[in-house]
Each structure stands twice: as structure tokens, then as C-alpha cells.
Amino acid sequence: MGAQAGAGPERAGTPSGGGDFEIRVRGRAGAALASAFGELTVRPRPAETVLYGAGLDQAALYGILDRIQALGLELLEVRRLPGKAGAGGQNACAEGP
């Protein structure tokens, strides 16, 4: 039993270089709550709020999850979105009034 190379913060399926994530929490986020996640795109849905983060590394993702817990939000899902390297475009997120 020796120390494994790569063991530690880089777990299987969680790259250290970053990725795009979709995080769903229960309920609709108001403007004040959305401002707590200024680095993310916030999209309210009828029964939940979807937070989108681009290029998040593991530390940033854990920081966001800690903030969700500290605010008393119910975490529904965290999903890594497929990479679109070289696509040149982003998923347009038109923010309505």
C-alpha cells in the first residue's frame, strides 16, 4: 500500500482544470439571492433555480456548494455539462427583466 499518484483533490471525473456545471436548487431565486452568485448565470424556473458556471475548477465548485448550504438552499442536482472546446459560442443566457 503506497501513496497513489493522482490521489487527493483530483478525483475520478472531477478535472482540476475546470468545467462547465449546472447546479439546481429548490425554489425561485430573487434578485438578492442571484447577487450572491454573481459569477454564475442564474435562471429561475417555476419550481427551481438553475445556476450555470463556466470554467469552474474543483475549488470554485466546492465554494459555490458551501455558499448554497450557508444560505439554507436545498440542493437538487449538480451536473457537469459536456465540454464544447472550440465551439466559439456560449449558451446564450438572455436575462429578462
Side-chain angles (χ1 to χ4, degrees):
M1 293 192 150
Q4 294 180 347
E10 294 184 32
R11 296 181 183 143
T14 308
S16 62
D20 297 344
F21 288 88
E22 175 183 280
I23 303 165
R24 295 176 181 268
V25 296
R26 187 170 313 280
R28 291 180 56 95
L33 186 59
S35 70
F37 297 100
E39 74 273 34
L40 304 175
T41 300
V42 179
R43 285 188 164 174
R45 299 287 185 231
E48 64 189 15
T49 298
V50 183
L51 309 169
Y52 295 97
L56 299 176
D57 63 7
Q58 188 175 25
L61 181 60
Y62 280 125
I64 291 165
L65 295 175
D66 284 343
R67 206 173 326 153
I68 288 170
Q69 182 179 21
L71 291 169
L73 300 173
E74 181 180 349
L75 180 65
L76 299 175
E77 179 180 20
V78 177
R79 180 181 354 184
R80 179 156 189 214
L81 301 175
K84 296 184 180 178
Q90 297 176 337
N91 292 338
C93 298
E95 297 285 332

